Amino acid sequence: MNNFFLCFFLMINMFMIFFIMSMSMYFLDYSIMLEWMLMSLNSMNMELYMLIDWISLLFISLVTLISSMIMFYSSTYMNNDKFIKRFIYLMLLFILSMIMMIISPNIISILFGWDGLGLVSYCLIIYYQNYSSYNSGMVTVLCNRIGDVGVLMSIGLMMMKGSWNTSMISGVMYNNLFVMMLLLAAITKSAQIPFSYWLPMAMAAPTPVSALVHSSTLVTAGVYLMIRFEKFMGGCMSLMFFLSVLTMLMSGMMANFEFDLKKIIALSTLSQLGMMMMVLSLGYKMFAYYHLLTHAMFKSMLFMCAGIIIHSLNNNQDIRMIGNLNEIMPFTMMSFMVSSFALCGFPFMAGFYSKDLIMEIIYSNKVNIMMLVFIIMSLVFTVSYSIRLFYFIYFSEMKFKSSISLKEDYLMNFSMLILILMSIMMGSMMNWLFFFDFYLIYLNMKIKLITLFMCMLGVIMGMGMKNLKIIKFYHISYYLSSMWFLNQVYVWIFNPFNIMSDIFYKIDKSWIEFFEKDLKMLIKNLNFTLNFKIYMFGYFFIMIIILVYLLM
């Protein structure tokens, strides 16, 4: 527990330092570029760059604030865990990788943080070491490797431009292939369609990890990459807009049919990531960054509340089993309600300022009418699954265990206290900070009220979701709750690799076991059995074929 408190004090001090530096740089309009030459090859210089400006420092301060609260929270949540030191080291590595990625304008140094995020997230997802964690970890790491290939190919393409530092080259010089590779990297890390399936599966990690991953680190890395590279992305903005709107719609629809508490919150993260990518694809990168910061606060608190519920119910995550929790754990339920209201865009909460502004920007832009319908429908679904979750947690009956044994923990409650205040005040604070000279958006009264009416429709739909007749139709509900059969697609894609790996595993196993157990004895006795002759003949035959192929 002392290690957790040490990490908490370290992170909270880092938050204060970085926040003060960020505000100073913002008001002074000042930034610092650090350069470190690693090696020089012909005309290419391999340099490590660090860009320290108010955007990167504000994001780092937010990451460290949320990390400090999660470390404090984990001191109780992970108290009885056997490998507690491993958990702390992995969390610190994860935060360090994210900070490395945030301050890098150079695509080589971005790769260090990018790969660090992928590797450490895999280690955290398989932390509990069971079959479900293994499957989730493999799907996550294989999806993220596709994005890593995009980053590696963009490194190769940038060699033709003479520099890996993006800030030194104008956006006109980039070709469409480079832009597509960057987009591939961003949509895999931020889990846009068709790479959305790994995000709900990543819930196999401990809940404090989920709170960190889904608020400000791993899934936001792709959005942050697009914010940094926005000036190059002109050629693929329409594709990014289409994918992000479909992701919003699909995740909102799936969350209305899901019964796993953590998966519902994970799907809400996916929906908000789609919204960030959507407004980014329209060219408003500061709006995407603004929503990224506000979303991080209430989403981390939402996961913390879910963690307390799961922890109290002996790791049960089925929302059909729980209910009437507002009488048993009032502070947790109050926090849950505040964060859910912020997620829905309830007036004057943190999410309201960013979401309402984004919707008004969309109404004032020339957007395809079909895409606009999808965006408004996803807004309805967001309110709908939140109200449905309210119904199960607040108003249904407890079916799992006696309520007497449930209790709140003071340390966990304290860790959420600061995040509650930030979930209420963050939106207005950042709005005054970012857009103090931004004039109000004037819209027709009917258009202005669309968002409000759609939220009311979402409330009605959420209340009726429990008795919805469509749930009884198994095939329709399975289609809507399976990410539009994306899980089946992944089975088809990975199946050939599984078969190949199984074959290679059997071959390797036979060779290794044979050599380890029998080779010394065979050499000692000079009794070359038939098996050994067959193995050696096969080995030399393969080597001769490879040699002939190379000589040709």
Side-chain angles (χ1 to χ4, degrees), residues 160-211:
M160 294 184 286
K161 306 299 177 187
S163 173
W164 280 307
N165 186 17
T166 54
S167 58
M168 300 297 179
I169 304 171
S170 65
V172 185
M173 294 179 67
Y174 287 89
N175 56 20
N176 286 331
L177 185 58
F178 171 76
V179 169
M180 288 303 292
M181 289 301 107
L182 278 181
L183 180 65
L184 179 69
I187 64 174
T188 48
K189 197 65 84 173
S190 290
Q192 304 297 296
I193 282 180
F195 304 105
S196 305
Y197 188 55
W198 71 263
L199 194 75
M201 291 194 78
M203 290 297 96
T207 306
V209 176
S210 302

Side-chain angles (χ1 to χ4, degrees), residues 155-359:
I155 287 170
L157 290 164
M158 282 188 73
M159 284 183 72
M160 294 184 286
K161 306 299 177 187
S163 173
W164 280 307
N165 186 17
T166 54
S167 58
M168 300 297 179
I169 304 171
S170 65
V172 185
M173 294 179 67
Y174 287 89
N175 56 20
N176 286 331
L177 185 58
F178 171 76
V179 169
M180 288 303 292
M181 289 301 107
L182 278 181
L183 180 65
L184 179 69
I187 64 174
T188 48
K189 197 65 84 173
S190 290
Q192 304 297 296
I193 282 180
F195 304 105
S196 305
Y197 188 55
W198 71 263
L199 194 75
M201 291 194 78
M203 290 297 96
T207 306
V209 176
S210 302
L212 189 60
V213 163
H214 287 259
S215 61
S216 56
T217 49
L218 180 68
V219 294
T220 57
V223 180
Y224 187 78
L225 186 78
M226 287 290 103
I227 289 168
R228 281 295 191 198
F229 288 87
E230 187 257 346
K231 63 179 179 178
F232 311 130
M233 303 306 293
C236 66
M237 286 299 196
S238 54
L239 177 62
M240 190 161 80
F241 180 77
F242 179 71
L243 292 176
S244 58
V245 170
L246 280 185
T247 307
M248 285 172 65
L249 183 69
M250 181 265 294
S251 54
M253 198 178 285
M254 183 179 171
N256 279 292
F257 292 90
E258 188 59 61
F259 291 104
D260 189 319
L261 178 60
K262 280 177 75 174
K263 274 194 179 178
I264 292 171
I265 303 172
L267 289 163
S268 77
T269 304
L270 190 54
S271 179
Q272 300 309 305
L273 286 170
M275 179 170 272
M276 292 171 209
M277 288 293 229
M278 174 194 67
V279 74
L280 189 58
S281 65
L282 294 173
Y284 300 95
K285 69 174 182 179
M286 286 312 298
F287 289 99
Y289 184 61
Y290 175 39
H291 189 53
L292 180 66
L293 297 179
T294 54
H295 169 261
M297 283 298 170
F298 59 76
K299 189 49 63 73
S300 56
M301 192 171 71
L302 202 57
F303 266 109
M304 284 180 171
C305 297
I308 291 175
I309 294 167
I310 293 163
H311 199 62
S312 303
L313 297 171
N314 293 341
N315 304 319
N316 179 54
Q317 295 179 201
D318 196 328
I319 59 172
R320 290 169 293 188
M321 295 291 176
I322 55 182
N324 207 21
L325 290 179
N326 52 320
E327 295 181 6
I328 305 156
M329 38 179 72
F331 185 84
T332 305
M333 288 299 102
M334 182 193 75
S335 310
F336 192 89
M337 196 163 104
V338 167
S339 51
S340 294
F341 278 175
L343 172 66
C344 295
F346 191 80
F348 312 114
M349 306 293 264
F352 164 75
Y353 289 93
S354 55
K355 286 184 78 172
D356 201 63
L357 193 61
I358 287 170
M359 291 309 294

Side-chain angles (χ1 to χ4, degrees), residues 33-51:
M33 176 82 85
L34 301 175
E35 179 185 355
W36 178 30
M37 174 77 78
L38 295 177
M39 60 175 284
S40 181
L41 179 67
N42 294 338
S43 63
M44 281 297 296
N45 295 330
M46 189 171 178
E47 299 153 331
L48 195 66
Y49 279 92
M50 290 184 184
L51 176 63

